[in-house]
Amino acid sequence: MQNDDNYIRFDWAMKHMLRDKANFGILEGLITVLLGEKIHIEEILESESNQEDSQDKFNRVDIKAKNSKGHLIIVEVQLTRQLYYLQRILYGTCKAITEHINIGDKYDQVKKVYSISILYCDFGQGDDYVYHGETKFTGIHTGNELLVNMKEDGVIVQHLPRKVFPEYYLVRVNVYDRIPETPLDEWMTYLKTGKIKEDTRTPGLQEVKEKLRVLSMSEKEKRAYFAHIDNIMVQNDVLDTARDEGRAEGLAEGLAKGKEEGLAEGHAKGLEEGLLKGRAEMLRRLYRSGMTIGEISVALGISEEEVRKVCES
């Protein structure tokens, strides 16, 4: 194993380096390991969502690629730390479909989309570190999957809807905790710790070792990169502290109010009001810590209007 800081973090590389055609092999490797078939990236799709922004700390990249059968697909890879990550994933997938079909095209031009979300926060509960979802239409009485007729290369063929509808992969980086044995495990180890096996043959990780060494960065790039790492650590600490303290204060006040009223209804009402107050206090703490309205909005997945209303009142 290498030292933790030998290789550039994937979230930084996604935003600053992996759009370069010379580095396509890294993303190709990750997608190949996840999908279980060889993927070749054709190009990075330019869209409104791919533009860099000072507030855009959680990047999304849309990729046009071909699978092992030569079928054209769109792969959406995004890093997210938002509370409403399911809604964000759905929104991003819909945009990936609509942004890359020309006005006037027939619906047969809609491409299969794979949405890959690399989650660096502990969202949800489950005993696995990668989850896969797809759309199925099953009979409520028979349990059989529906087959639909479609025209493909001038011939009518039958398809399962899940072969057309988007597929989703949720990669839960923080919950991964095992000795790497498979190519997917090796990728998870790199995503979480930056470590890569000396003798790795895993697709994409050999390219990481060659092209994402911290030592190969210029001094200017290193300063920006380590500032990014520091910001993540500070932001995570601020978020955790504000969340815990705000929740504790809100719960204590809510329980006290419910107890004073002496009724179950009053208890529930007081608890609800306390939770709301705790949420508001958390927002104020984040704002006082130096985070901007936009940063708080992105980190917690709530509207800027709601944050502004609480923090500037």
Side-chain angles (χ1 to χ4, degrees), residues 34-231:
L34 271 178
L35 271 57
E37 63 174 324
K38 179 63 178 176
I39 298 296
H40 173 70
I41 294 177
E42 298 277 309
E43 62 177 314
I44 300 296
L45 296 170
E46 287 304 325
S47 72
E48 169 187 337
S49 322
N50 281 341
Q51 303 307 313
E52 294 196 25
D53 184 275
S54 60
Q55 301 295 339
D56 181 19
K57 294 183 172 57
F58 317 108
N59 204 36
R60 167 191 156 196
V61 176
D62 291 346
I63 300 160
K64 185 166 76 174
K66 286 186 177 180
N67 63 12
S68 57
K69 298 177 182 178
H71 294 165
L72 194 64
I73 61 175
I74 293 176
V75 182
E76 180 207 26
V77 181
Q78 64 176 328
L79 307 169
T80 182
R81 300 166 188 268
Q82 292 183 327
L83 292 179
Y84 301 115
Y85 73 100
L86 288 178
Q87 291 88 335
R88 173 176 174 149
I89 292 167
L90 176 61
Y91 178 75
T93 304
C94 293
K95 285 183 69 65
I97 294 171
T98 57
E99 285 178 354
H100 306 301
I101 181 172
N102 295 321
I103 295 175
D105 280 349
K106 296 180 180 179
Y107 288 123
D108 62 359
Q109 296 303 305
V110 172
K111 305 304 179 186
K112 172 81 172 183
V113 173
Y114 292 88
S115 173
I116 300 169
S117 297
I118 300 173
L119 308 173
Y120 280 95
C121 282
D122 298 332
F123 295 124
Q125 297 180 3
D127 56 3
D128 208 328
Y129 51 90
V130 178
Y131 283 85
H132 172 237
E134 57 188 7
T135 300
K136 297 181 180 180
F137 291 85
T138 56
I140 62 173
H141 300 104
T142 65
N144 294 331
E145 280 196 67
L146 176 70
L147 279 168
V148 295
N149 292 330
M150 297 177 60
K151 190 174 182 179
E152 187 175 281
D153 297 327
V155 180
I156 301 298
V157 295
Q158 287 191 320
H159 273 294
L160 293 168
R162 57 188 170 90
K163 297 295 184 180
V164 178
F165 280 75
E167 291 185 36
Y168 301 89
Y169 288 85
L170 305 183
V171 182
R172 305 170 72 214
V173 176
N174 283 4
V175 302
Y176 173 78
D177 184 19
R178 59 188 295 178
I179 297 174
E181 298 177 351
T182 67
L184 180 56
D185 288 346
E186 288 192 39
W187 258 103
M188 295 298 299
T189 299
Y190 164 62
L191 291 174
K192 184 171 184 177
T193 69
K195 295 179 180 179
I196 301 175
K197 291 171 62 175
E198 280 284 1
D199 59 348
T200 186
R201 295 184 178 275
T202 295
L205 291 183
Q206 292 171 307
E207 288 84 351
V208 170
K209 291 182 67 175
E210 295 173 7
K211 300 176 180 179
L212 297 189
R213 290 184 176 275
V214 172
L215 292 178
S216 66
M217 303 173 82
S218 69
E219 288 303 315
K220 181 179 180 181
E221 290 171 334
K222 285 181 183 178
R223 287 195 296 273
Y225 174 65
F226 286 117
H228 168 74
I229 301 299
D230 289 342
N231 286 338

